[in-house]
Amino acid sequence: MSERGTTVAGRRTLVVGNWKMNTSQEEAHALAAQIAAAASDVPHVEVVLCPPFPWLVGVRQTLAGSTVALGAQHMHFQEHGAFTGEVSPRMLAGLCRYVLLGQYERRIHFQETDWLVARKMAAATQFGPQPILCVGDTIDQREDGSTAAIVARQIESALEGLAPLQELVVAYDPAWTTIGRAMPPPADFAGQICAHIRDVVSELMPQLPAASVRVIYGGPVTPANAASTAAQPSVDGLLAGSASLRAESFLQIVQACEQVSATRPAG
């Protein structure tokens, strides 16, 4: 990794836009084009877009020649087989740079267990693309103080038995982000949980250099809270949902992270 584009301890800031089940084909191309055109002037930030599966190939073509990377929203753990409607890691390996695994909506609405997420992690590390492991708590777990234990359990399950890694991205992606009952926490809460995640990973994989582990925050991310959250020393970037569906708001988040990262000393 070059000195240009690094942050604390050499970790380059990562900003991911997860479009979920949104956008038409035309909207996806227009959104990707706007972001790609404006995201070229952010040397300290790596930008990733995760559109719906039908738009992956087209968005990849739109992003060609830009600095914006492509990501998938999930995948199956099998290399191939009779799994109607699923997409394998080998299919994504030559198409996407990243894939989200364990995102809270997959865990809740599609009953993806820690065991299943671990199988997907193993497949992604074998075939590619680079996984972004999402871990998080529910509102009840947050309120009863078990967040740290829940997050540690999910990480331990996902990393157990993996072959040696060259890099790792973990997103704290709590399930209470879209629940009206949960107020967005202060920025230092995100920093505390991301620091805890880093400690857990360090214990499980002491051979993995700190500069190779990026921990990002996927809670309620908006242009209003992006800078304060990204400024937390343990936060290496942001995972945005609804805010990534509008080029203006997503680019404001990217620029906020760029400004924070540009002032951080390189490791």
Side-chain angles (χ1 to χ4, degrees), residues 4 10-11 38 106 121 129 154:
R4 179 180 185 268
R11 301 188 300 268
R106 299 295 307 180
M121 279 291 292
Q154 292 172 347

Side-chain angles (χ1 to χ4, degrees), residues 130-186:
Q130 168 69 36
I132 298 175
L133 171 63
C134 298
V135 299
D137 51 338
T138 65
I139 182 61
D140 291 331
Q141 291 164 343
R142 177 188 165 194
E143 291 180 344
D144 69 20
S146 60
T147 293
I150 295 297
V151 166
R153 185 203 72 204
Q154 292 172 347
I155 296 171
E156 290 167 1
S157 172
L159 300 186
E160 184 178 7
L162 288 186
L165 302 177
Q166 299 299 314
E167 62 178 310
L168 178 65
V169 180
V170 182
Y172 174 50
D173 184 42
W176 40 260
T177 56
T178 58
I179 300 175
R181 157 182 168 208
M183 293 296 292

